[in-house]
Amino acid sequence: SSELTQDPAVSVALGQTVRITCQGDTLRSYYASWYQQKPGQAPTLVLYNTNYRPSGIPDRFSGSRSGTTASLTITGAQAEDEADYYCNSRDFYNNQLVFGGGTKVTVL
Amino acid sequence: EVQLVESGGGSAQPGRSLRLSCTASGFTFDDYAMYWVRQVPGKGLEWVSGISWNSDSAGYADSVKGRFTISRDNAKKSLYLQMDSLRSEDTAVYYCAKETRGYNYGLNGMDVWGQGTTVTVSS
């Protein structure tokens, strides 16, 4: 099975911009989705098909892809954006899916 | 309201079995692929298994292949995970989740999640 690699942690000053990356060979063929998870809660989808936002997700969340790397950008980070973020995509093999290891975002 | 509710978690000894259920409401269940995702407390998300809207195809993580079986009953709007030969490393919170777009598998993310059910495997 394939892997998706994320940086373990990033920090951002309140109101500034932060980019989270997700790297994996499958991203050359399949779209990335991104999830936000706060302590004690189930994950919430924030982006899918690289850059589509579900209803209710603020437009400060955006996404992009270049080669085998997908990115989630938070423009003007808010205190409530402090959370763990996971990327996810389909794998090449046997109808498998894969998650990245997660990135903890701290808003200073 | 679109909702997923998991049940069936609990404690089991290594080598025993458990069956998880997930009941859906608020959407046309048989139009969407469904998934099981687990999380060890304090750790990351791990995809466990998925099944297409019509049960024609299914997939399993390498860590559970041959031990877990996913199934669905569209008439009952329910998803299941039969977990056999349980191991201590299967201890986790298990979430069921819905594919974002109908008639797709693994392509568009998971837009609805349950609150999870806890499985503890210990002697």
Side-chain angles (χ1 to χ4, degrees):
Chain A
S1 56
S2 303
E3 293 185 352
L4 296 177
T5 301
Q6 299 181 239
D7 291 330
V10 296
S11 60
V12 57
L14 184 68
Q16 297 303 301
T17 297
V18 62
R19 173 179 289 183
I20 308 164
T21 60
C22 173
Q23 194 280 329
D25 289 342
T26 62
L27 299 179
R28 193 182 296 280
S29 301
Y30 296 110
Y31 293 125
S33 300
W34 291 91
Y35 305 84
Q36 177 193 72
Q37 188 180 34
K38 297 180 180 180
Q41 297 183 13
T44 298
L45 181 68
V46 294
L47 292 174
Y48 66 99
N49 289 18
T50 301
N51 195 28
Y52 284 73
R53 280 178 286 107
S55 61
I57 301 301
D59 60 6
R60 63 179 179 271
F61 290 90
S62 63
S64 63
R65 179 180 72 174
S66 177
T68 60
T69 300
S71 300
L72 165 69
T73 299
I74 309 174
T75 303
Q78 302 299 303
E80 60 264 31
D81 300 334
E82 186 164 289
D84 295 324
Y85 290 84
Y86 296 90
C87 61
N88 153 248
S89 82
R90 184 162 176 172
D91 200 344
F92 294 121
Y93 313 106
N94 300 321
N95 292 324
Q96 292 180 332
L97 278 66
V98 59
F99 280 93
T103 298
K104 182 177 182 59
V105 172
T106 300
V107 180
L108 303 173
Chain B
E1 179 189 6
V2 177
Q3 195 173 14
L4 297 171
V5 178
E6 302 97 337
S7 60
S11 296
Q13 293 181 326
R16 307 290 286 192
S17 299
L18 280 175
R19 188 193 195 207
L20 305 183
S21 299
C22 170
T23 302
S25 59
F27 66 97
T28 306
F29 181 74
D30 46 6
D31 286 353
Y32 295 90
M34 297 293 295
Y35 308 100
W36 289 100
V37 176
R38 69 185 181 185
Q39 186 173 36
V40 175
K43 302 297 185 182
L45 300 174
E46 179 187 15
W47 177 81
V48 173
S49 184
I51 188 167
S52 63
W53 63 97
N54 58 3
S55 302
D56 271 3
S57 56
Y60 299 91
D62 292 346
S63 57
V64 306
K65 197 174 300 182
R67 299 187 299 120
F68 290 10
T69 303
I70 192 171
S71 62
R72 63 189 296 162
D73 184 334
N74 286 346
K76 295 183 177 179
K77 299 185 179 182
S78 293
L79 175 73
Y80 306 101
L81 186 68
Q82 177 66 40
M83 304 188 296
D84 298 324
S85 303
L86 283 163
R87 304 169 180 170
S88 57
E89 54 263 38
D90 296 320
T91 295
V93 175
Y94 285 73
Y95 297 100
C96 70
K98 164 190 167 290
E99 173 79 37
T100 300
R101 288 185 175 172
Y103 308 111
N104 279 276
Y105 179 90
L107 299 179
N108 306 118
M110 307 169 199
D111 66 339
V112 180
W113 294 65
Q115 282 305 301
T117 187
T118 300
V119 172
T120 304
V121 183
S122 173
S123 55

